[in-house]
Amino acid sequence: MSALRDRPITIVGAGVAGLTAACALARRGARVTVLERAGALRELGAGLQISPNAVRVLDALGLWPRFRDISLRSDRVELRDSAGRMVARLDLDRQRPQDRFRLVHRARLVALLEAAAREAGARIELGHEVTEPPRDCPLLIGADGVKSRIRPLLNGSEAPFFTGQTAWRSLIPAEPGAAGAAQVFMGPGRHLVSYPLGRGLRNIVAVVERPDWQDEGWSLPGDPADLRAAFARFGGPVPGWLAQVENVGIWGLFRHPVAAHWQNGRMALIGDAAHPTLPFLAQGAVMAIEDAWVLAACLDADPDQAAALARFQALRRPRCQRIVEAANANARNYHLRGPTRAVAHAGLRAVSRLAPGHLAERFGWLYDYDPVTATEAG
Ligand SMILES: Cc1cc2nc3c(=O)[nH]c(=O)nc-3n(C[C@H](O)[C@H](O)[C@H](O)COP(=O)(O)OP(=O)(O)OC[C@H]3O[C@@H](n4cnc5c(N)ncnc54)[C@H](O)[C@@H]3O)c2cc1C
């Protein structure tokens, strides 16, 4: 018998975390209400890389066939220098040939999750901004993103710090037949990531070190000319891509600590509300999806809500901490300068040539993790 059957649960926020949790909880019988401040679930144009650790959850929720249809298979990550020359290649298929590294437009993923949550019986109230936590609610899930209102209730006020990095994101048309590869072009103090998303679109995220800080939200409009100027010395396909940029968003990258307290027996945090991350390992939405499954499985397995939430935090916090730290380290590695950069690139080239599986193997702890069996293991 499911411990979740008919239990009322309120979720604040209908992003990737909130919608996946709504789906996972409602499928196990909970009476879920999602409160979302936006009047419509319109997503910013941007892409996401979704790795197998999250796809296992989508599969367990019965969503894999629909997700496969809206996403593109990714078979490799290419690390290139600013001239476009190959430095190293991570063959994703070599280690994990199950077709489960995917590239997807955020809007399509959110639409899929919204439909799945509603089909499972969750109620989604749009245009409902939560300013005070509802008092009559036995379980409140804060899935309200990086500027969460629920997180300070559990952790007090915390100040993030600006990393000195500013990022642009843009969508451009993809060239016909573009390979499902994520390419990272690394230059001194800056890098640019690009991959196709299917349906004729290519995603671009470009990061530079700049001491003048920007707002943390990522919907501020930027100037395409600034982006082109910042990457004017880059070669390969980059100039051609940037010439096509018409609209660009800009935002400052901030580092936040992983929350110390994820729950208090009546409230819990998931997704960016618990562990905002820099985008350099492409795991923010992936961790949100993992969180959602593990939270639902813990609550379902134990009718003692406080014990279930404590187990949820114990399962999730160390893993998310490790992922956030790995993303921080990538920020440094991509932007090396001078002799350090030459040595590091030579080392990567050698490893990539002599032991091509090695780079992908180093991420086994990340991509081979299965949230479904990890939760069953007790
Ligand atoms: C440029 C960029 C690239 C990225 N690339 C990747 C990638 O390749 N792979 C990956 O896995 N991740 C990636 N991420 C990270 C990923 O986008 C986030 O980690 C993820 O979207 C977090 O989901 P969330 O549901 O926790 O938060 P959000 O998506 O921020 O959703 C929070 C929701 O809560 C709502 N809300 C907020 N406050 C309230 C309130 N008071 N009342 C009601 N509703 C409220 C908001 O309107 C929003 O809908 C990237 C991020 C960026 C910026």
Side-chain angles (χ1 to χ4, degrees):
M1 176 66 182
S2 160
L4 275 169
R5 183 144 302 284
D6 291 331
R7 270 171 62 191
I9 298 178
T10 303
I11 298 175
V12 183
V16 173
L19 291 171
T20 312
C23 181
L25 291 161
R27 282 173 60 99
R28 291 170 185 264
R31 285 192 284 120
V32 178
T33 305
V34 184
L35 307 177
E36 165 58 50
R37 73 175 166 204
L41 291 183
R42 274 193 308 271
E43 269 290 324
L44 296 161
L48 292 173
Q49 301 178 65
I50 300 292
S51 51
N53 37 321
V55 174
R56 290 185 189 103
V57 170
L58 299 178
D59 197 10
L61 292 172
L63 302 177
W64 164 242
R66 284 152 80 181
F67 180 62
R68 186 183 51 211
D69 287 350
I70 60 160
S71 60
L72 192 68
R73 177 182 192 160
S74 172
D75 67 358
R76 63 187 185 275
V77 176
E78 295 175 358
L79 300 179
R80 293 176 174 269
D81 65 16
S82 53
R85 290 181 300 248
M86 186 77 85
V87 173
R89 178 181 155 131
L90 278 77
D91 275 319
L92 302 173
D93 271 4
R94 179 190 293 267
Q95 305 294 327
R96 300 169 187 87
Q98 318 94 326
D99 186 20
R100 301 247 162 141
F101 281 92
R102 310 296 298 187
L103 308 169
V104 68
H105 194 300
R106 266 177 87 91
R108 290 202 282 270
L109 176 61
V110 166
L112 187 164
L113 293 172
E114 181 192 5
R118 290 189 195 275
E119 284 160 23
R123 220 176 66 213
I124 301 174
E125 289 184 17
L126 299 174
H128 189 139
E129 176 158 14
V130 173
T131 48
E132 291 284 321
R135 292 191 183 283
D136 52 347
C137 169
L139 178 53
L140 183 73
I141 312 289
D144 49 346
V146 72
K147 292 182 179 163
S148 170
R149 292 211 178 222
I150 309 301
R151 176 171 170 153
L153 301 176
L154 296 171
N155 292 276
S157 69
E158 299 155 296
F161 77 90
F162 180 52
T163 61
Q165 295 168 331
T166 300
W168 289 276
R169 57 156 185 82
S170 186
L171 291 180
I172 59 168
E175 53 287 8
Q183 294 176 305
V184 184
F185 298 83
M186 306 174 290
R190 63 205 62 212
H191 79 278
L192 182 147
V193 181
S194 183
Y195 48 86
L197 296 177
R199 304 198 193 176
L201 289 174
R202 170 174 286 284
N203 190 57
I204 290 179
V205 176
V207 179
V208 295
E209 290 171 12
R210 265 173 49 169
D212 54 328
W213 67 272
Q214 304 284 338
D215 193 324
E216 191 174 16
W218 46 301
S219 49
L220 286 179
D223 183 343
D226 291 341
L227 168 60
R228 284 190 270 274
F231 288 84
R233 289 167 180 267
F234 276 47
V238 172
W241 289 339
L242 296 188
Q244 298 178 68
V245 170
E246 289 178 357
N247 297 303
V248 67
I250 186 167
W251 80 104
L253 296 178
F254 285 69
R255 255 206 226 171
H256 302 247
V258 173
H261 306 287
W262 290 36
Q263 58 86 29
N264 67 355
R266 289 175 297 107
M267 287 189 253
L269 303 173
I270 56 174
D272 277 7
H275 44 70
T277 180
L278 294 176
F280 303 140
L281 202 57
Q283 288 290 307
V286 166
M287 282 190 282
I289 293 170
E290 289 185 357
D291 286 348
W293 176 273
V294 175
L295 177 68
C298 288
L299 287 166
D300 203 14
D302 191 343
D304 178 344
Q305 183 168 297
L309 293 180
R311 178 169 174 243
F312 162 68
Q313 171 164 346
L315 284 170
R316 295 303 299 156
R317 193 171 182 282
R319 176 166 169 81
C320 293
Q321 179 87 45
R322 184 174 182 189
I323 292 173
V324 168
E325 283 167 9
N328 293 344
N330 266 1
R332 288 189 293 277
N333 297 339
Y334 286 166
H335 291 188
L336 298 176
R337 299 169 198 266
T340 325
R341 168 184 152 85
V343 170
H345 283 195
L348 274 172
R349 279 197 175 92
V351 171
S352 184
R353 204 175 52 247
L354 300 172
H358 176 74
L359 289 174
E361 269 166 36
R362 276 184 44 209
F363 290 103
W365 65 272
L366 181 58
Y367 301 136
D368 294 340
Y369 175 80
D370 184 346
V372 179
T373 53
T375 320
E376 282 161 4

